[in-house]
């Protein structure tokens, strides 16, 4: 999706185009020639303005949603404005301090992620989204403890000392020796590896018959891997806050679009896959309307930025999702600063 280069527009066309876009972003409504004629920055009659608006519409930069209802930017027009005309408003010292203060509250990292999503929602008046970091700690050992007939506790210990427990349902009542053999086998292959790395090695050994495990112990190993794999797949991939912001007064005349957007946000896995497109970006990325298939029907925009840990490694993506009339000039630098601030908290 691309329009003409900005330098191909006359200075008069650029100014009128800018006023239409800024008016639309401010009110969410189309801008008419009478409104433009009152601007001291234009100095043209309504007839001359209508001629320029018609030219901009022919270029695909503006559209008239209703007869005589004024013009509003198309997705192509918004892209041209964002890339070639927008002047960003960097967050003030007070805004930076407020963001850092809200993120600095003591607590687990999950609490900081929740706070980040709420901050993004507040600064954009849209929905704030944060991808949960993919935690793949290096593991040290695993223990299997018999609790009762048919139940055992799997205890996983990370190299950083973190401990996680999961209940396992077992068929019959396997002997303690089988639990010990399975735990020793798993621990021997976990050392210094992620669970995914260790699981690949163990499954390869078991399938090739090189594991030297008896049937009971082999079954315990496979059940243990299944428990942890299932747990990882159920972990939340996305935190979303502020959906209620999407139901403002400007949205009341377009409830079908808002309903579609809310439905799209419910599919968190798809939203996370969309945000993945910003993971390798050097700076904040902007997806406008039909530029992304997920939100094409709702005509929504996504502003997303990767956030990094203290070593500079990308661990997730955060951003805002809302109507195409987002205040890009304000929201883009705020998203970028929030990503930097969150990154300072990630170990």
């Amino acid at each position: 999706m691309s329009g003409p280069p900005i330098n191909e527009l006359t200075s008069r066309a650029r100014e009128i185009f800018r006023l239409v876009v800024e008016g639309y972003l401010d009110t969410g409504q189309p801008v008419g020639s009478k409104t433009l004629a009152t601007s001291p920055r234009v100095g043209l009659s309504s007839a001359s303005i209508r001629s320029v608006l018609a030219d901009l519409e022919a270029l695909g930069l503006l559209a008239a949603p209703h007869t005589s209802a004024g013009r509003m930017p198309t997705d192509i027009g918004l892209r041209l404005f964002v890339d070639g005309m927008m002047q960003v408003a960097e967050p003030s010292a007070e805004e930076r301090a407020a963001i850092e203060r809200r993120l600095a509250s003591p607590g687990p990292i999950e609490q900081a992620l929740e706070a980040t999503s709420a901050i993004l929602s507040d600064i954009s008046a849209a929905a704030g989204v944060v991808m949960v970091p993919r935690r793949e700690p290096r593991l040290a050992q695993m223990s299997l403890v018999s609790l009762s007939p048919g139940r055992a506790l799997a205890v996983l210990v990370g190299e950083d000392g973190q401990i996680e427990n999961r209940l396992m349902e077992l068929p019959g009542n396997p002997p303690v020796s089988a639990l010990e053999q399975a735990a020793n086998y798993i621990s021997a292959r976990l050392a210094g590896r992620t669970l995914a790395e260790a699981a690949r090695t163990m499954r390869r050994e078991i399938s090739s018959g090189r594991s030297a495990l008896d049937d009971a112990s082999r079954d315990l190993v496979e059940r243990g891997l299944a428990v942890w794999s299932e747990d990882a797949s159920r972990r939340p991939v996305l935190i979303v806050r502020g959906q209620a912001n999407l139901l403002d007064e400007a949205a009341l005349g377009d409830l079908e679009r808002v309903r579609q957007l809310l439905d799209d946000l419910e599919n968190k896995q798809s939203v996370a896959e969309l945000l993945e497109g910003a993971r390798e970006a050097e700076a904040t990325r902007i997806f406008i309307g039909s530029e992304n298939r997920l939100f094409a029907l709702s005509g929504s925009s996504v502003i997303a930025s990767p956030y990094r840990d203290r070593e500079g490694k990308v661990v997730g993506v955060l951003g805002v999702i809302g109507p195409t009339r987002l205040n890009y000039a304000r929201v883009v630098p705020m998203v970028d600063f929030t990503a930097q601030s969150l990154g300072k908290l990630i170990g």
Side-chain angles (χ1 to χ4, degrees):
M1 183 174 73
S2 62
I6 194 66
N7 57 13
E8 289 187 6
L9 299 179
T10 65
S11 59
R12 183 170 64 179
R14 280 200 300 271
E15 188 58 35
I16 290 177
F17 175 66
R18 179 193 295 276
L19 288 172
V20 171
V21 175
E22 291 177 346
Y24 170 74
L25 296 181
D26 184 48
T27 67
Q29 300 298 320
V31 179
S33 57
K34 290 183 179 180
T35 300
L36 294 169
T38 63
S39 172
R41 293 158 57 181
V42 176
L44 296 173
S45 66
S46 293
S48 296
I49 292 172
R50 284 195 294 270
S51 176
V52 176
L53 291 174
D55 291 341
L56 292 170
E57 186 173 355
L59 291 171
L61 301 178
L62 299 180
H66 307 289
T67 303
S68 302
R71 303 299 200 285
M72 58 189 289
T74 62
D75 292 348
I76 294 174
L78 281 174
R79 171 56 63 189
L80 181 69
F81 175 81
V82 167
D83 289 347
M85 302 180 71
M86 182 176 72
Q87 295 179 331
V88 299
E90 294 294 336
S92 66
E94 291 78 10
E95 290 170 331
R96 291 170 183 256
I99 291 173
E100 292 175 333
R101 187 165 54 249
R102 289 179 65 178
L103 289 179
S105 300
I109 189 61
E110 288 77 14
Q111 188 170 310
L113 297 175
E114 293 273 358
T116 299
S117 184
I119 289 169
L120 293 168
S121 174
D122 290 346
I123 64 179
S124 65
V129 293
V130 179
M131 285 182 64
V132 177
R134 295 173 178 170
R135 291 184 64 252
E136 287 197 276
R138 298 288 165 177
L139 305 169
Q141 67 180 58
M142 181 176 181
S143 301
L144 296 174
V145 181
S146 179
L147 298 177
S148 62
R151 300 183 77 201
L153 183 69
V155 182
L156 202 64
V157 182
E159 285 188 337
D160 58 0
Q162 185 170 352
I163 300 174
E164 293 191 40
N165 303 319
R166 295 292 181 275
L167 284 173
M168 291 174 54
E169 300 294 332
L170 306 177
N173 187 20
V176 174
S177 60
L179 290 170
E180 292 178 349
Q181 185 184 22
N184 290 337
Y185 173 78
I186 293 174
S187 294
R189 283 145 185 83
L190 282 178
R193 300 179 179 180
T194 67
L195 182 63
E197 292 169 347
R200 284 193 292 270
T201 299
M202 286 184 273
R203 288 191 171 111
R204 190 163 53 244
E205 290 184 0
I206 289 174
S207 63
S208 65
R210 293 184 287 113
S211 65
L213 294 170
D214 59 32
D215 290 342
S217 299
R218 186 183 308 113
D219 181 68
L220 287 169
V221 169
E222 292 174 343
R223 287 179 180 276
L225 293 178
V227 165
W228 290 101
S229 298
E230 181 181 2
D231 175 73
S233 67
R234 288 180 175 177
R235 294 191 179 190
V237 296
L238 197 71
I239 298 172
V240 182
R241 293 292 179 271
Q243 293 98 317
N245 287 340
L246 304 172
L247 296 171
D248 61 8
E249 289 186 12
L252 295 181
D254 198 2
L255 290 179
E256 179 58 28
R257 182 194 64 77
V258 176
R259 185 197 64 77
Q260 180 66 52
L261 174 55
L262 292 174
D263 286 347
D264 291 338
L265 286 173
E266 284 298 310
N267 190 347
K268 292 186 176 181
Q269 187 62 49
S270 294
V271 176
E273 291 172 1
L274 169 64
L275 294 180
E276 280 286 346
R279 179 176 282 271
E280 303 304 324
E282 292 298 322
T284 301
R285 287 198 64 184
I286 303 171
F287 304 91
I288 298 175
S290 56
E291 289 180 352
N292 68 83
R293 284 187 292 176
L294 177 59
F295 295 111
L297 291 178
S298 63
S300 305
S301 287
V302 180
I303 300 174
S305 176
Y307 63 95
R308 295 169 167 79
D309 59 19
R310 294 173 186 172
E311 297 179 354
K313 179 184 177 183
V314 173
V315 292
V317 179
L318 55 78
V320 302
I321 299 174
T324 55
R325 56 183 174 79
L326 286 170
N327 186 341
Y328 300 93
R330 170 176 165 75
V331 175
V332 168
M334 294 286 271
V335 167
D336 182 61
F337 180 75
T338 304
Q340 295 175 33
S341 300
L342 178 61
K344 296 176 184 177
L345 303 177
I346 306 293

